[in-house]
Amino acid sequence: MKQILQKQLQKVQSHFDALKAYSTFVEEMNFDFSVEAFNGLDIPQKAVLEAYLKRFASLQDFLGAKVFKSLLDVSGISYSKMSEVLTLVEKEEIIDLDIWIEFRNIRNNLEHDYPDELEEALMDLKYCLDHFAYMR
């Protein structure tokens, strides 16, 4: 089980490294997250924002579906459903559940509403970029 967890943590690091690289690229773009600025981006720049969001969602999904459960398994802590997993990893001070839920809500909004509410989507993207270090 520890080997599985180690591989999972390596994958988490890979996701985090990609998020950091995308974040640096966005910083270098001097993007102000306005609709006007977004409309002025070229296709590769928009692709970086899209890639960031996909990687962010993948990381959160992977942490929730795999890593948190493996951490509990290795620690010998039993659980039966996802809500228990999240409560237990918060108890172990691995996550702040309120922040985790906020990330999840933003991720879901971006998955389902983008680009219908572009201004809100851009603010959600900014929040994710500003707080990506929390996912580590």
Side-chain angles (χ1 to χ4, degrees):
M1 181 46 93
K2 286 184 182 181
Q3 284 181 315
I4 292 170
L5 179 58
Q6 282 182 319
K7 287 182 181 182
Q8 290 172 341
L9 293 175
Q10 288 171 348
K11 186 172 181 177
V12 167
Q13 186 63 52
S14 174
H15 279 301
F16 186 81
D17 290 345
L19 286 172
K20 189 173 181 178
Y22 293 140
S23 179
T24 299
F25 186 81
V26 172
E27 280 180 31
E28 292 170 358
M29 287 173 24
N30 291 318
F31 180 57
D32 70 2
F33 297 90
S34 68
V35 171
E36 296 79 23
F38 180 80
N39 289 334
L41 295 177
D42 59 30
I43 292 173
Q45 290 171 318
K46 288 179 180 179
V48 167
L49 298 177
E50 184 72 26
Y52 182 91
L53 290 174
K54 287 185 185 220
R55 184 70 71 143
F56 184 88
S58 293
L59 176 57
Q60 191 179 41
D61 290 345
F62 186 68
L63 286 169
K66 303 282 185 185
V67 176
F68 293 162
K69 291 176 182 179
S70 293
L71 285 168
L72 295 174
D73 290 341
V74 166
S75 300
I77 300 171
S78 61
Y79 57 89
S80 61
K81 52 189 170 178
M82 190 60 196
S83 60
E84 257 185 310
V85 170
L86 293 175
T87 301
L88 290 166
V89 294
E90 180 182 43
K91 182 179 176 185
E92 296 297 321
E93 298 181 356
I94 296 168
I95 64 166
D96 176 306
L97 192 54
D98 291 333
I99 293 172
W100 184 262
I101 290 170
E102 180 68 17
F103 279 152
R104 196 70 186 166
N105 289 337
I106 286 171
R107 176 230 182 258
N108 288 342
N109 286 343
L110 290 169
E111 282 282 314
H112 300 294
D113 296 337
Y114 181 79
D116 295 340
E117 301 290 334
L118 185 55
E119 188 171 357
E120 185 177 330
L122 290 169
M123 289 300 100
D124 286 345
L125 171 61
K126 181 175 180 354
Y127 182 88
C128 292
L129 282 157
D130 289 346
H131 295 89
F132 87 92
Y134 177 80
M135 297 291 278
R136 189 163 197 223

